[in-house]
Structure formats: structure tokens, C-alpha cells
Amino acid sequence: MNKHQLPSDAPYSESQYAWLSGFFAGLHSQLVSNTSNQTQSAHPVHILYGSQTGTAESVARDVAKSAKAYGLNPIIKSMDEIEASALAKIDTLLIVTSTYGDGEMPDNAQVLWTEVSHNAMPKLAQLQFAILALGDTSYDLFCQAGIDWDNRLEQLGAKRLHARVDCDVEYEELAQEWIKTIIPALAGSNVADIASEDNHDAPQYNRKNPFPAKLVANRLLTAETSSKETRHYEISIAGSGLSYEAGDALCVVATNCPTLVADIAKVMNVHGNEFEQALRTQYEIKLPSKELLNEIAKRSGNQELATALKDKEALNAYLWGRDTLDLLLQNPTATFTADEFISLLKPLQHRAYSISSSGKANPETVHLTVASVRYEAFDRQHKGVCSTFLADLTDESTEIRCFFTPNKVFRVPDNNDLPMIMVGPGTGIAPFRAFLQERQVRGAKGKNWLFFGDRNAATDFIYRDELDVMGKSGLLTRLDLAFSRDQEEKVYVQDKMREHGAELFAWIEAGGYFFVCGDAYHMAKDVDKALHDVIAVHGNKTEQQAIDYVNMLKKDKRYVRDVY
């Protein structure tokens, strides 16, 4: 029955029934027309996001929600869903972007940015814009992607609605202020933000309110004789109401090592439970902030450090292997009161880990695959903050405060028949273990190809038994392995890609998805170069045609990376 029809058993005569049906049909048409006209007449606000892990996308959706509540017409898109030429037809643009790697654009923004940066890009004098940049001040090129967009749009003649806002890792308050300033102004309203009511769709647990989960499994994956220590964790989220998808990240709020806290207090000659508790739970004490480095150089007269602070590469080289305690021990004349020291520290941040389980297969637990960071430098043992918090400081009774970060792009294909190619050496295998579990639960028929490797097969072939079972069952169609130190000449996953380039290209041509997870600075760049080479050689393409082909894969979200 249509919405404007009366029930067939309504107590009316035939003529009354016909008249009333016609009346309600006309009324319904008028309501639909009015609603459509209101939507069309609302001022369109285009919202573009550049997001690597999903945070910028989440903020952009908050912007769209506020715009809609103010009667505007928000049009929200990922940067890989729009052509540069379309910007000439837009009059109001809001950009929310993170910065990835060493001041680079997020993956989903790179193609658009290349187009917009071209000398032939037409002027955008009709455009008014505002930019919210997300970043981390511990990186030299803080919010560089947002800065680049801001400068380029100005060069193209666009006008700022509002000065760019650069957010550190604690971004929520600044982001909300930006939204509450810009959206009412666009709507011509001075009313308090009518979109700020509680979001009943938001999960109860989040970054500001982590869930106190419990550890249910902690097992060593690498052999005792391995040069690495990689562990498998299972964390219970039973009773939380939380859920996750394969491809998401679990963010863990760790506490600092009590031995490191005690050693810092001792070298500073500052004692007291309040100070040590603050260092244990609230502040980043392993990696020194720029502010602390500058003060140590100033108070100690350390010219080597002072010189290094003027050059990024020199500073990275100087800090290699050093932590805050090393700097205090090596510069004893740089003394601080407890209050001075704390004022120079950054807040202790959560650590994000790619989830290695499918939420459909494991609704009450979330699995992680984590390499424990341990090394010796400057005559003392050093440990990673969160990796050794999990390995050394947690048991079944410990609260592991955590929350999920969705990654809506890094997902198993909706089409269960399409091939998946997964490149994940070391702990980069984590999301692909989840992807394979997901495909098994779905009963997906699509082929699955995994490239995996590490240092030595005998000690570092993690999840070997599981992968053997997946191979025998037909779930894992193909497994190519690259153990770099098992032969004289090192072999890596990108070498295996080139070796089997013809078949790799055939899988992509058949609609295959290409996923990469792991180290951003070396592996991911080498894999990207290998992918371009495979496409050029086996697709019989020029270098530029291969670049265009890869860009097409990115736009279609068939080449997606989870790199760090």
C-alpha cells in the first residue's frame, strides 16, 4: 500500500473513497515537493576530508551534522571522490585534513593535491574556504598538509572564511570551536550550536572515556631464539556494547614503566607519590618534547644538542636511541623543579594497533599482534611504552583502557567474489589475519593472496599454523614468503611481487584489491615502487600510464594502505 492510499476496508462509499484518496495523494505530493525545494534551496557547503586512519573523516562528519542542523546542505566527500576541476563550481569549501608521514598528504588526498598543485590549475576566485588541520606537534612538519592546502587555495585566489586552525593530538576542543564558529556564520545565525546535543549514536566508550577491558590471552609468537619478540594478545570487550570491523584499530591507553618513572625521579632528586603518579599515568616521559630539548640545551650549555635542534636530520641522528632519562643523565647541569619539568612534557597519548581479528568471528574479544620494543643503548635497557606495558605490566586482573578507531576505507571488499592481494610483512600481517577471518565468516569465494615475510623463517614465521590451515582449506589461495636473512642476498616482499608480477597484474585486472600494512618509511615506499613497476612491465604501460593506473586504483579504493 502506498503511503497516500487509504485502507481498502475503510468505511466510506466508493465516491468518498475516491475523493479522499485523491486528496491525500495530492497532499503527499505537495509535502514531497516542499521538502525537495527546501533541500535544494539550502546553501550547499562542500566538506572534503583527507584522512589516513579515519580521524579526519570522523571530524568531517561532525561538521556535516552541524551544518545540516543549521539548515545548510552539507555535501561531504573524501578527497579521492572529487576532481580538481569540480572546485571551480564550488563557492563554499570546508577542509578537514590530517598529515601523514613526513609532512605528506594522506593517501586519499594525494591525487587531488597533485592536480590542484599543477601550474595549469585555474583560479578559484569564487571560492570561500576554511581549513581544520589535524596533526601532532611531536613531528617537525606539524599539520603540514593543512598548511599546504591553506597556502595553495590562497594562491589560487580563494578567500578564507576563517583562519586555519591547527590541532594537536588533543583535537576535540579546538575542532568543536572551529565548527561552532564557522557553521552558524555560514547559516547567518548567532544561535548557540543547535547541533551540540548528545549524540545518541556515539559509542559510550571513546578517547575521552576508554573502556576498562581485560586481558584474556598473551602468547609469544616468535621463537625464544628470535632476534624479535612478537606477541599475540586477546582482550575482552564483553559487556562494553562496543563492536568493530576488520580493518579498524584498537587504541590502548598505557601507563609508563614504573622503573623508568623511579629512575627519572631519582636523577632529578624529586620524590613524592604525586609527582611519580603524574609521570606514570599522565605524561609522555620516553620521547622528549621540543620544549624540553630546548630547555636542556639552554640549561646545560650542550652545544651539540643546541646545533642539532636547528636541523631536523641532525636532531633525528642525535636522538636516535636516546630517551628523556638519557638526556637528563647526560646533561646533569640541566636541573628542573618538579613543576618546571612537568610543564615541559606532553600528555601521554594512546597507541593505536591494527586489529588482527574479525569482529564477526570474535564479537567479544579483540586480537592484537604487537612487537615488543626492547633495545640497549647508552649503557641501559630501553623499552617501548605500550608494547611492554602489554607484555610486562598486564595480566588477567589489569584494566586495559582502550577504544576503537574505525577505518572505513581499509575494509574487506563488499563484493565477496573479487580477489584480495595483501602485503603485510612482520606485524603488518595483523589486519590481514582479520581480513581472512572475515572472508571465512562471509563464505566469500574471492581469491586471497598474502605476501608475508620477516627476518628468519625458523624463528619469525608468526601465525604459521593458522596460515597452513587457511591454505589447506582453500581460504588462502596463495602465500608468498620473503624471509630476508635466510639467504646471502636479502629478499623482501617487494621482490616477491616483481617475481610474480604477471599473475599479480592479472589479479588486479580482474578487479582485485591491493592492501598494504606495515612500515611507512621503507617497506610501503618500496612496495609502492614495485607495484608501479609491475603495472608498467606486465600492463605494457609507460611510466606515466602506470602512475595514472595506480591513481585510478586509489580513487576506486582498490589500493589502500594502513602504514605507520
Side-chain angles (χ1 to χ4, degrees), residues 317-350:
Y318 181 85
L319 291 176
W320 182 256
R322 282 184 169 97
D323 64 9
T324 299
L325 178 57
D326 291 320
L327 291 161
L328 293 173
L329 288 168
Q330 293 162 13
N331 298 278
T333 57
T335 59
F336 301 89
T337 66
D339 288 343
E340 284 175 334
F341 185 67
I342 283 177
S343 72
L344 295 167
L345 302 179
K346 293 177 72 68
L348 181 61
Q349 294 299 320
H350 63 266

Side-chain angles (χ1 to χ4, degrees), residues 221-273:
L221 291 171
T222 45
E224 294 283 355
T225 54
S226 173
S227 57
K228 292 184 171 186
E229 178 190 305
T230 303
R231 291 186 170 273
H232 174 87
Y233 300 97
E234 296 181 13
I235 297 168
S236 173
I237 54 170
S240 67
L242 294 170
S243 61
Y244 66 94
E245 295 286 338
D248 289 347
L250 184 74
C251 299
V252 177
V253 183
T255 57
N256 285 308
C257 172
T259 303
L260 180 61
V261 169
D263 288 345
I264 288 175
K266 181 179 179 181
V267 75
M268 289 182 62
N269 197 26
V270 175
H271 301 284
N273 289 336

Side-chain angles (χ1 to χ4, degrees), residues 352-400:
Y353 295 104
S354 302
I355 294 169
S356 54
S357 55
S358 160
K360 293 183 179 67
N362 304 274
E364 294 198 335
T365 59
V366 54
H367 301 182
L368 301 180
T369 307
V370 181
S372 305
V373 177
R374 305 181 194 273
Y375 62 95
E376 186 169 339
F378 305 104
D379 300 319
R380 49 176 286 262
Q381 289 292 323
H382 294 64
K383 298 190 290 186
V385 177
C386 195
S387 64
T388 59
F389 163 76
L390 290 169
D392 303 342
L393 302 176
T394 60
D395 57 27
E396 291 81 359
S397 63
T398 309
E399 280 191 355
I400 299 177

Side-chain angles (χ1 to χ4, degrees), residues 438-496:
E438 179 83 7
R439 282 215 140 175
Q440 187 169 35
V441 170
R442 290 189 193 178
K445 302 301 183 188
K447 297 189 294 184
N448 303 304
W449 186 351
L450 175 65
F451 289 88
F452 172 74
D454 211 309
R455 293 177 180 173
N456 302 102
T459 56
D460 307 316
F461 194 167
I462 62 175
Y463 297 121
R464 181 174 193 161
D465 292 344
E466 289 187 23
L467 294 174
D468 284 345
V469 171
M470 290 176 180
K472 289 172 183 174
S473 72
L475 175 65
L476 183 56
T477 314
R478 178 162 185 165
L479 174 63
D480 277 278
L481 301 169
F483 291 100
S484 59
R485 301 185 184 182
D486 278 353
Q487 58 283 311
E488 187 174 340
E489 186 175 347
K490 290 184 178 179
V491 176
Y492 298 104
V493 286
Q494 61 268 22
D495 300 317
K496 289 294 182 179

